[in-house]
Amino acid sequence: MPDNSTSGNMCSGMPGQLLNLLNASLIGALSFTIFLLALLGVIWFRKYRSLVQTIRRLQRGKTLQPDPPLQPPIMPMRPVPVPAVVQEEEEEPPPPSSHRQSSTVRSSSRRLWKGLQQVPRFTKSDLNLLQLIKAGKEGVFFQARMTRGTCKGHSLFTCKITKEDVRLKHVEMEVSIMRKLVHHKNILQLLDWNTTEEPYILIMEYVSYGTLRSFLQTNKGHLSADPELQSLLTIASYHIALAMQHLRSKMIVHCDLALRNIMVNKFPWEVKVAEFGLARDLTRMKSRRSSRWRNPRQRVPLRWYPPEYFKNNYYSFKGDVWAFGIVLWEMQTFGTLPYPNLETSEAVVYHICIGHKNTNPEGCRPEILHIMRDCWSEPHTLRPSFTDVVHMLENIIENDADYVDVVSPSFLVKDEAEYHEAKCPQAASVTFEETSSL
């Protein structure tokens, strides 16, 4: 007979073994689950850390496109829709994906204007406006003096009063550029400014005869009869070229070089380039596609602009060279408007783009005509630099030295005292209220 005790032990042992097996399975499954959760946690943590690092790199600007290679200094403009008003490209807003980069741009902008803010040393009530020099798109120029005292020792000076729609940053950039161009005899020097209230005011050195355009038009009859006229115009051209060479050395593009923006203190030896409202400082531009700010109301002088501006949205130092050729043409024609037979802006742009040039001025010496045509060469890379222009004009002046007395000329207005007396009205004849209508 079988052993009942043994059978009982076997029967009682079976549930224990099943229970142990079940416990082992549960422990294994729980361990595997814990391991799987831990693995998923590690993977998630690594992805999270990688994402955080990516965000930090984006904030630091490390994942942005690298800076483009150095390009020749240029000043790009916006495309021209060929209407009467041509607008220029302004500053691109910083990318919205980088808050930290935006802060950096704003900090750079603040540093740009740092030092321009000042406690004004004068107000508009301190100015005594004497004579209107010219009224431009952005401001009005006067001969003026202080009602009390002087401005840095100057009893008479040139005063620019901006119009109402001119932005403060625009004026501050003009002040910054003029401060950078100090100590050059052929650039109108900035003496003081007030940008704390409108209208904004810039005070510059005094000039006797206003703009070169008005001077040539006023004295056309006397100058036309002078046998040394071409030599004198060459000397004036040389001094303008010296000023533009100085701008090029400072990386400044003028963008508004014209006869109306050149002042005369003593013709032809003291002519001064002025009006830097459209000028650009390329050392402060982040890339070849950047500019400073958006201002859809700002206009550019079509008749002085090169074809690459209209064709390719491009303006560089060679654009100023093109404008210098237009200035030479204006001088030879005593301030005649370029392309005088074209009345509309669309016609001007069309003729410039298809390669038409101004006709040869009557009586222009061949050497100046050659420089003029070189300034209008296309493509723009074929145009001479202002250093080349200065050398060419120096050679012409040296050849003229045998028969031109450049120390004591006798061609000026016959009675300079009478000229000043006729041109300078009584003080307080112009008020600030009257400037708003100009």
Side-chain angles (χ1 to χ4, degrees):
M1 292 183 61
D3 190 352
N4 292 333
S5 62
T6 305
S7 298
N9 292 335
M10 291 178 62
C11 291
S12 62
M14 290 294 294
Q17 292 177 356
L18 292 175
L19 183 60
N20 293 336
L21 184 59
L22 182 60
N23 290 336
S25 299
L26 289 175
I27 292 172
L30 182 61
S31 300
F32 179 79
T33 301
I34 294 174
F35 173 78
L36 184 61
L37 290 175
L39 181 61
L40 292 175
V42 170
I43 295 174
W44 177 85
F45 177 77
R46 289 184 176 179
K47 288 184 175 294
Y48 173 78
R49 187 171 61 178
S50 176
L51 180 62
V52 169
Q53 292 175 349
T54 301
I55 293 174
R56 289 177 179 174
R57 286 196 300 271
L58 283 171
Q59 291 177 340
R60 294 172 184 171
K62 291 184 178 180
T63 59
L64 297 177
Q65 288 185 346
D67 292 333
L70 293 176
Q71 301 287 342
I74 58 174
M75 211 294 294
M77 302 289 183
R78 292 183 66 184
V80 179
V82 195
V85 176
V86 181
Q87 301 171 359
E88 57 182 354
E89 182 178 343
E90 304 296 351
E91 185 174 11
E92 295 293 338
S97 60
S98 175
H99 174 73
R100 188 166 184 175
Q101 187 186 15
S102 301
S103 301
T104 303
V105 172
R106 287 194 294 268
S107 299
S108 299
S109 179
R110 286 192 294 268
R111 287 195 298 270
L112 175 62
W113 310 119
K114 185 178 180 180
L116 293 184
Q117 301 300 330
Q118 60 168 13
V119 177
R121 290 177 283 270
F122 69 94
T123 62
K124 62 182 181 181
S125 60
D126 297 326
L127 297 178
N128 192 356
L129 305 181
L130 302 177
Q131 178 186 0
L132 174 67
I133 296 177
K134 75 161 192 165
K137 302 284 186 191
E138 299 177 347
V140 185
F141 285 76
F142 290 93
Q143 289 180 346
R145 63 162 55 98
M146 289 291 182
T147 56
R148 294 175 298 176
T150 63
C151 178
K152 295 185 177 179
H154 295 257
S155 57
L156 291 173
F157 44 81
T158 302
C159 176
K160 178 182 179 181
I161 304 172
T162 64
K163 294 187 176 180
E164 294 180 355
D165 58 347
V166 176
R167 297 178 60 179
L168 174 59
K169 283 190 175 181
H170 194 119
V171 180
E172 288 177 330
M173 178 58 76
E174 183 176 359
V175 170
S176 174
I177 288 175
M178 294 192 72
R179 293 179 69 192
K180 189 174 182 178
L181 296 173
V182 295
H183 309 313
H184 195 283
K185 65 176 182 177
N186 298 122
I187 294 176
L188 196 65
Q189 297 295 294
L190 180 67
L191 301 178
D192 206 348
W193 66 94
N194 186 349
T195 56
T196 59
E197 60 179 354
E198 295 189 52
Y200 308 124
I201 302 172
L202 276 62
I203 292 181
M204 295 155 284
E205 62 181 316
Y206 175 79
V207 291
S208 302
Y209 297 107
T211 69
L212 182 54
R213 184 171 188 263
S214 64
F215 176 86
L216 292 176
Q217 290 176 339
T218 301
N219 297 282
K220 179 178 179 180
H222 178 71
L223 292 171
S224 299
D226 195 300
E228 297 180 353
L229 172 63
Q230 287 300 315
S231 297
L232 298 168
L233 292 178
T234 302
I235 294 173
S237 303
Y238 171 69
H239 288 290
I240 298 171
L242 286 175
M244 297 307 297
Q245 183 185 38
H246 182 64
L247 263 70
R248 175 62 180 86
S249 69
K250 298 292 185 179
M251 297 295 289
I252 302 294
V253 185
H254 192 282
C255 303
D256 197 9
L257 182 61
L259 207 63
R260 64 183 177 274
N261 293 328
I262 298 169
M263 302 294 181
V264 181
N265 193 44
K266 187 176 181 182
F267 185 84
W269 303 272
E270 294 183 26
V271 293
K272 301 173 183 288
V273 174
E275 188 58 281
F276 296 92
L278 294 181
R280 295 291 180 260
D281 185 352
L282 299 189
T283 62
R284 288 173 175 167
M285 297 173 68
K286 297 183 63 177
S287 71
R288 66 190 301 256
R289 290 294 176 187
S290 67
S291 189
R292 285 195 293 273
W293 60 81
R294 292 191 180 275
N295 184 2
R297 296 170 293 180
Q298 194 171 52
R299 296 179 289 179
V300 298
L302 297 177
R303 295 175 188 263
W304 286 261
Y305 266 43
E308 65 268 15
Y309 172 78
F310 307 111
K311 294 178 181 179
N312 303 320
N313 203 22
Y314 182 95
Y315 193 101
S316 66
F317 293 112
K318 296 302 177 71
D320 279 352
V321 173
W322 174 283
F324 180 78
I326 301 292
V327 168
L328 294 180
W329 186 90
E330 288 184 279
M331 293 174 63
Q332 295 291 331
T333 59
F334 295 94
T336 302
L337 185 70
Y339 314 103
N341 297 326
L342 304 178
E343 297 182 356
T344 66
S345 299
E346 291 84 356
V348 171
V349 172
Y350 174 76
H351 278 75
I352 292 175
C353 289
I354 64 177
H356 285 190
K357 308 293 193 301
N358 284 292
T359 58
N360 294 343
E362 183 179 354
C364 179
R365 65 191 304 173
E367 301 93 333
I368 295 297
L369 187 60
H370 176 73
I371 296 176
M372 194 185 305
R373 293 295 170 179
D374 283 349
C375 291
W376 297 338
S377 297
E378 293 187 62
H380 65 277
T381 53
L382 298 179
R383 296 171 202 158
S385 66
F386 278 112
T387 300
D388 297 330
V389 173
V390 167
H391 290 160
M392 287 187 282
L393 291 171
E394 283 177 346
N395 292 334
I396 298 174
I397 293 174
E398 288 177 1
N399 293 333
D400 291 344
D402 292 338
Y403 56 88
V404 174
D405 182 3
V406 296
V407 178
S408 55
S410 59
F411 81 96
L412 286 176
V413 181
K414 295 180 179 179
D415 193 335
E416 188 172 330
E418 291 182 3
Y419 181 89
H420 278 288
E421 183 179 355
K423 286 296 180 180
C424 293
Q426 296 298 321
S429 61
V430 183
T431 64
F432 272 89
E433 288 72 15
E434 292 172 347
T435 63
S436 60
S437 62
L438 293 175

